[in-house]
Amino acid sequence: MTRKSNKDTPNANTNPPKIDDSEDYALQFAKALSNSYQSGSLFSPLWQNELLKSLNMSPTTFDRKKIEEMIKNPKANEDALKDLSQYLFNVVMQFNRLVNYYSTIPTFDSFLVATNADDEDMKSTAFKKSRRKAVDIVEKLSPKSTFPNILKGVILEDAKFYYVREFGDSVALQEMPAKYCKIINKTEYGYQYAFNMYYFLQSGVNINDFAPEFSEYYSDFVNVDKNRKDRYFYWQPLDPIKAPVFKFDETRAGLTPPLMGLFLDSAEIEHYKGLLKTKTELETWKIIVGQIPMKSDTKGASVANNFAIDPNVAGQYTAILQAGVPNGVKVATTPFELKTVDFNQSQTQNNIVGFSQDNFYQAAGSTPILFGSGTVNASGLQASIKVDEGYVLHMYRQFERFINSYLKSKTGKYRHKVVFPDITVFNWNEKLEAYLKAAQFGYSKTLVSVAMGINPEDMQNLLAYENSIDLVEKYLVPLSSSHVQNGNKDGGRPKVSDSNISDDGAKTRDLDLNNR
């Protein structure tokens, strides 16, 4: 009988190749899997949608006990506190409105200033070209529409991580997944962060949705030399100029939501709503308790449970009574006296939700008048608004730093910087009056257009156009003024501004007492 060749029979002693480094194997597997996901044939809009929603939406819910535990140790609960802030933003309208209120106080009106050019330089073609480029970059960043959204996220979470994307004729700030970003250093450009490259091994993540340099980072990550690999090889430090961190509190690297002190007060609002609902329900309920009579014959020894009515009969009558009463009324039968029990409480408890809301705004330091409750007090209102402005205006300096550091690498020989004057939605009229008065004495007229909310470049272009067509001389009739008008019902001294009016004056104006 011919013996089979060893080539035809499997070797029972043959073992699979040994994997020396399980982490290398995992990376190879993840690389192959990720490459498959990058394939257009496997693209899933559902995956993409979930990834985008995970940037700033959390499905996590919290109770009061859990909130108390996290607040006691914010260092160990950074991610959970961010999720909690998003949760409260979604479910507590007072918290939602307060975040939106703070984020919309700054107007983000700005102007551009040259920092290293003299009078002769400013006449040169090179300077004009450089300034035009700086203006274009600022316009592409669109501060008035982009930065309020960033500020909202910063107020919610304390820090937001971004990356500058350049698309030919446009510049955009791409939000990075915060749970894969880690602050690692503080530089002259603000905090620097590193990005966890394992993010790209998730299902549905397309590396082409990120800046081109991330493809290089990813290649280095999956092809890292195991002999040179350190423990944290998957963290990629990013350039702080192109990867800014906007952080509400720059005095510490830890992430603590600015409104963390309101988390418990926010949760109390929902808690008191539940209590009020329960109280209202109880006030509509009544219990009718019927008495089962005892036998009145007192001869002989007393007998326990000597009821005068058969239990079956008592049960039948109780059922008949229950069927005849409306919802919210319960019938019970006992050997005791008949009485009605209700759950009416003091009417002063009807406004417990209002109490919790007042406590919320008091803890926030913002007046509830701005949110539709409380008593109007003109002087107190103005003082409260000033405090709220001061709470968020420091963020102007961070946005200035980001734009100016980015401009340095783009405008060539000449340097330009963006300035955000401390103009808000509340003080713009006050600033306008101050800038107009200063302009009368030779100070900048650009600030006037900034206070009016008009881009200085747009104002210059508008004036140049009007002058080119002789708009004033040919088409515009001088506006009428009080010097050429007869008296009318609108005469009298000018109205006092809201910021300077007394409490009595505000009451007179609100009630229109002068016209009664």
Side-chain angles (χ1 to χ4, degrees):
M1 184 175 182
T2 306
R3 180 178 296 178
K4 292 184 179 180
S5 170
N6 289 338
K7 295 181 180 180
D8 299 328
T9 58
N11 188 348
N13 296 323
T14 301
N15 296 320
K18 183 179 179 181
I19 301 174
D20 296 329
D21 190 337
S22 59
E23 190 168 30
D24 283 345
Y25 181 85
L27 278 177
Q28 293 174 20
F29 172 79
K31 179 181 178 182
L33 185 65
S34 178
N35 289 337
S36 298
Y37 285 136
Q38 304 298 331
S39 170
S41 61
L42 295 180
F43 170 78
S44 171
L46 297 179
W47 280 342
Q48 294 292 102
N49 180 257
E50 288 299 319
L51 289 168
L52 289 175
K53 289 191 294 186
S54 66
L55 290 176
N56 47 34
M57 292 183 66
S58 171
T60 311
T61 59
F62 302 87
D63 56 26
R64 179 185 173 85
K65 183 178 179 180
K66 182 64 175 177
I67 294 174
E68 290 178 342
E69 292 175 355
M70 292 190 299
I71 291 177
K72 289 179 182 178
N73 189 8
K75 183 179 179 181
N77 294 286
E78 289 183 346
D79 288 339
L81 286 171
K82 288 188 294 184
D83 292 342
L84 172 58
S85 187
Q86 294 172 9
Y87 166 74
L88 294 174
F89 183 80
N90 291 331
V91 302
V92 181
M93 194 60 191
Q94 290 84 350
F95 188 83
N96 181 296
R97 292 188 65 187
L98 187 67
V99 171
N100 282 308
Y101 164 67
Y102 282 137
S103 64
T104 54
I105 287 178
T107 62
F108 289 100
D109 292 299
S110 64
F111 60 91
L112 201 63
V113 179
T115 61
N116 66 339
D118 56 25
D119 293 345
E120 291 299 320
D121 290 330
M122 292 182 182
K123 297 176 183 178
S124 68
T125 302
F127 174 82
K128 293 177 181 178
K129 183 177 179 180
S130 175
R131 178 179 172 80
R132 183 68 257 170
K133 189 170 186 177
V135 170
D136 288 343
I137 291 174
V138 176
E139 289 181 349
K140 291 174 182 178
L141 286 171
S142 188
K144 297 192 72 170
S145 62
T146 303
F147 290 171
N149 292 330
I150 295 177
L151 181 57
K152 182 188 296 184
V154 169
I155 293 173
L156 272 175
E157 303 178 14
D158 185 36
K160 297 298 284 185
F161 304 87
Y162 285 85
Y163 200 88
V164 180
R165 300 291 308 277
E166 299 175 353
F167 302 97
D169 294 334
S170 64
V171 178
L173 284 168
Q174 180 178 4
E175 183 177 354
M176 304 293 285
K179 292 184 179 180
Y180 289 81
C181 300
K182 193 72 66 178
I183 291 176
I184 60 172
N185 192 19
K186 192 169 187 178
T187 72
E188 61 180 307
Y189 307 111
Y191 281 111
Q192 179 187 19
Y193 71 94
F195 189 73
N196 188 338
M197 300 304 292
Y198 273 107
Y199 177 77
F200 295 108
L201 301 182
Q202 295 184 97
S203 302
V205 176
N206 188 349
I207 200 168
N208 295 321
D209 292 335
F210 291 77
E213 49 266 37
F214 277 85
S215 295
E216 299 177 11
Y217 301 151
Y218 178 74
S219 178
D220 294 339
F221 162 62
V222 296
N223 296 311
V224 64
D225 184 351
K226 68 177 182 179
N227 295 322
R228 298 175 55 190
K229 186 190 313 178
D230 59 36
R231 183 179 178 185
Y232 303 106
F233 70 98
Y234 50 87
W235 287 101
Q236 174 63 50
L238 302 178
D239 181 359
I241 295 179
K242 296 196 67 176
V245 180
F246 299 103
K247 196 173 187 303
F248 195 85
D249 182 5
E250 288 196 302
T251 63
R252 50 188 176 183
L255 307 184
T256 52
L259 301 182
M260 184 174 66
L262 294 177
F263 286 177
L264 282 175
D265 295 285
S266 302
E268 291 292 353
I269 293 176
E270 293 303 301
H271 176 64
Y272 281 120
K273 283 182 180 179
L275 289 179
L276 183 60
K277 180 180 179 181
T278 301
K279 174 181 179 295
T280 304
E281 290 177 348
L282 288 175
E283 289 176 350
T284 65
W285 281 74
K286 289 185 182 296
I287 300 176
I288 299 176
V289 183
Q291 181 184 16
I292 300 178
M294 306 294 290
K295 290 182 180 180
S296 59
D297 185 6
T298 59
K299 295 180 180 180
S302 61
V303 180
N305 302 324
N306 193 18
F307 297 109
I309 299 177
D310 181 86
N312 293 327
V313 175
Q316 291 173 4
Y317 273 98
T318 301
I320 293 172
L321 286 173
Q322 180 63 65
V325 297
N327 292 334
V329 180
K330 294 295 181 181
V331 177
T333 304
T334 73
F336 303 105
E337 295 182 0
L338 180 67
K339 62 172 62 177
T340 301
V341 181
D342 62 44
F343 296 91
N344 288 325
Q345 299 180 19
S346 172
Q347 294 300 312
T348 59
Q349 299 301 316
N350 289 334
N351 196 33
I352 56 176
V353 175
F355 293 155
S356 64
Q357 181 171 287
D358 290 341
N359 290 337
F360 172 84
Y361 289 118
Q362 185 176 2
S366 295
T367 174
I369 298 172
L370 294 169
F371 304 93
S373 63
T375 304
V376 176
N377 182 304
S379 58
L381 177 62
Q382 291 300 319
S384 177
I385 289 174
K386 292 293 183 184
V387 174
D388 294 340
E389 289 175 331
Y391 186 66
V392 295
L393 282 179
H394 72 280
M395 289 301 299
Y396 268 151
R397 309 292 83 86
Q398 286 193 41
F399 289 110
E400 286 176 349
R401 183 180 63 202
F402 157 65
I403 295 181
N404 295 335
S405 61
Y406 185 69
L407 287 177
K408 284 182 180 179
S409 62
K410 300 295 180 180
T411 57
K413 171 184 175 182
Y414 297 105
R415 298 284 182 262
H416 309 270
K417 71 174 184 179
V418 167
V419 177
F420 291 104
D422 290 342
I423 299 174
T424 71
V425 293
F426 296 110
N427 72 7
W428 70 269
N429 194 41
E430 177 185 339
K431 291 287 187 181
L432 177 60
E433 292 179 3
Y435 294 154
L436 279 171
K437 186 177 294 185
Q440 294 173 359
F441 293 93
Y443 287 91
S444 172
K445 298 175 179 59
T446 297
L447 291 174
V448 176
S449 69
V450 172
M452 293 171 64
I454 302 175
N455 185 295
E457 306 299 324
D458 293 340
M459 176 66 81
Q460 293 178 21
N461 293 334
L462 179 61
L463 292 176
Y465 169 72
E466 291 178 352
N467 292 334
S468 69
I469 62 173
D470 295 329
L471 182 66
V472 175
E473 291 81 0
K474 292 183 178 180
Y475 304 106
L476 290 183
V477 177
L479 298 175
S480 299
S481 68
S482 60
H483 299 290
V484 294
Q485 292 281 327
N486 293 325
N488 54 48
K489 64 179 181 179
D490 295 326
R493 72 173 188 174
K495 287 185 177 181
V496 179
S497 66
D498 291 339
S499 60
N500 296 324
I501 195 171
S502 65
D503 290 344
D504 291 338
K507 182 177 180 181
T508 300
R509 180 177 296 176
D510 292 337
L511 300 178
D512 198 23
L513 297 179
N514 289 330
N515 294 324
R516 293 187 177 181

